[in-house]
Amino acid sequence: MRRTIEWRNGTVATIDQTKLPHETVVLEMRSCNEVADAIKTMKIRGAPLLGVAAAFALALTAYNSKAKSKEELIKELEKSAETLKRTRPTAVNLFWAMDRILAKSKNFFGDTKELIAFVVDEAQKIADEDAAANRLIGKYGAELIHDGDVILTHCNAGALATVEYGTALGVIRAAWEQGKKIKVIATETRPKLQGARLTTYELKKEGIPVTLITDGMVGYVMYKRLVSMVVVGADRIVTDAVINKIGTFTIAVLAKEHNIPFYVAAPKSTFDFSRKSDEVVIEERKPEEVTHAGSYRIAPEGINVLNPAFDITPFDYVTAIVCEDGVWHKKDFGKFKANFYK
Amino acid sequence: MRRTIEWRNGTVATIDQTKLPHETVVLEMRSCNEVADAIKTMKIRGAPLLGVAAAFALALTAYNSKAKSKEELIKELEKSAETLKRTRPTAVNLFWAMDRILAKSKNFFGDTKELIAFVVDEAQKIADEDAAANRLIGKYGAELIHDGDVILTHCNAGALATVEYGTALGVIRAAWEQGKKIKVIATETRPKLQGARLTTYELKKEGIPVTLITDGMVGYVMYKRLVSMVVVGADRIVTDAVINKIGTFTIAVLAKEHNIPFYVAAPKSTFDFSRKSDEVVIEERKPEEVTHAGSYRIAPEGINVLNPAFDITPFDYVTAIVCEDGVWHKKDFGKFKANFYK
């Protein structure tokens, strides 16, 4: 596959991320419900990719629709959107992509057939925009990276989390393509191990030197001065904080304590300046993800488990945010927010 | 078994900790080499238990000895000690216990037979002293705990890491036995998962409410104000820092950032005031512990891995140390060190 997700005339193709790095299985989905299931089970994951997947899911609904009027089609799209919104609550890109398609559909002037084509086109446009945004994020972010830097990243904010190229890994990839001599430390990212399974896989494919550590080793590598900077992605950036994969805040606190820059790389589809962090639902996933590693049970039965999929990193811990508009340093966050919706 | 390790007339019995929580397998060892293997493979683990196991291993050497003179026996004991010292370099208790037995053996006045009996007795005494120390640590440490406290602990510093009762878990156990209404949050402690496998198992057996989290969730639970204090064990306490299971320093930094007390509970056999932290060898274990969870491979082949088994927490992050002499607050560490060998 050329991209992590592709529209192929009524089929949405993607890589089943639960099977990596052992097998590369292409998943072909033909209905909104199939996409929703793939999102719930994390066969599709990564905030930007979730947005594009939701857009393509609506495209599938439109493509397969027998609706006789635009109103009927919009009702079907709204029903599909409801299903998709129940999959995962935290990453905002999913909501953003569907709200965009629904709003534009409601204001659409053509006939039903034309609206169907429009929805498919708009989903494709969202995918293309994500790819373009990642290239720009890479370009701007790479300016922060210098020869000899060791970049610590968490979870997977790579090509697999986006349409292509990646956000945090896009920044790393761009620096590498510029010939900068860099190394990466990847945290394994329990419970779902996206760092161990996906980030190491992507970087190894690219030839970028990567060292895998457990999440508890972040303090050790910083104490030993083995890290120059942290670059992570985001699932939602709100007015006061970055919401990202569980474990991000732990790394941010350690970075601050060691005076190591902490950068967040994310497209504007991840920004939600209508909310503060305490107004965002943090998804609590099933306990089996923690009591097991893969299908192997590691803990005794009958104990309590916490399994928040995300945590909250207040802006105080964030050195800069990189988006397709450029690099925004902490002191300019206020200005950035004020102009965001203009 | 009444204790985690027992001397049974020429056999040392212990629980194979790699099999827990799924199976309780009693391991019977009849030679020093069998004990050394069990230590290397972490069937026996936990700093205080390593000390006692090494003592019993020397007792096995003595018990099975055909030595015709004390000098010959002491040579055999020294050879066994060399083997044991090559198993794991970081926890000091192992070195401490053998040095004690060897020093006393060299100054022993009786005949060879009597020296054999003495070595066995001294090993048993080290075991008994560890059990007594843990009770005292529990008694003193429990004074730091109040009704409603939620105590976060890392790795396993429980009965399974000692002869019985435990250090960090001894403190928790003592508070619970005093009727204090407490809860525990246990970190799973990758890569070897001692928290998920052993700490939850011990606490569940005791009826103490325990919630399991991944190591990356520590920041989240502190941010959400779900933790009143941290209590951990130690593998070696040197002049400037506590050396303990990898992940400890990460937790200590987070505790400091959130003004949460960080307590270390350890018997005096863990103290090594002859060294600074940068003079201690931090054991690097095999990469497979990180690339796999149990026997299940989680990462692609051909990537780099770091696997330090321990990290260093400078005293600046430690609120107090609890040992069998009482609770030593940070401001008194100097006095404590100055009087330690007197």
Side-chain angles (χ1 to χ4, degrees), chain B residues 62-81:
Chain B
Y63 186 88
N64 296 317
S65 175
K66 307 244 181 308
K68 296 210 173 68
S69 70
K70 281 201 290 183
E71 292 65 35
E72 208 182 315
L73 176 58
I74 285 167
K75 280 222 174 85
E76 291 177 11
L77 291 173
E78 284 174 332
K79 211 182 134 212
S80 290

Side-chain angles (χ1 to χ4, degrees), chain B residues 41 49 55 57 61 67 72 78 97-98 141 152 163 173 214-215 217 219 221 227 261 278 289 305 316 318 324 342:
Chain B
T41 52
L49 186 62
T61 296
E72 208 182 315
E78 284 174 332
M98 292 190 292
L152 186 141
V163 167
R173 215 182 285 271
T214 66
D215 302 313
M217 289 176 198
V221 294
V227 178
D278 58 11
E289 291 180 357
V305 168
D316 188 33
V318 178
E324 59 268 50
K342 282 184 186 160

Side-chain angles (χ1 to χ4, degrees), chain B residues 270-313:
Chain B
T270 311
F271 291 70
D272 174 14
F273 290 143
S274 72
R275 276 179 189 80
K276 288 187 297 174
S277 53
D278 58 11
E279 294 166 326
V280 176
V281 177
I282 300 292
E283 178 185 8
E284 179 77 23
R285 293 182 61 85
K286 58 180 183 173
E288 286 72 20
E289 291 180 357
V290 173
T291 55
H292 292 64
S295 58
Y296 177 69
R297 173 173 275 276
I298 53 174
E301 307 209 20
I303 55 163
N304 304 314
V305 168
L306 278 183
N307 189 16
F310 306 95
D311 61 22
I312 293 162
T313 301

Side-chain angles (χ1 to χ4, degrees), chain A residues 188 190 204 257 301 317, chain B residues 188 190 257 301 317:
Chain A
E188 65 174 5
R190 277 277 291 154
K204 195 193 152 198
E257 183 75 6
E301 307 210 20
Y317 298 91
Chain B
E188 64 175 5
R190 277 280 290 158
E257 182 77 8
E301 307 209 20
Y317 298 91

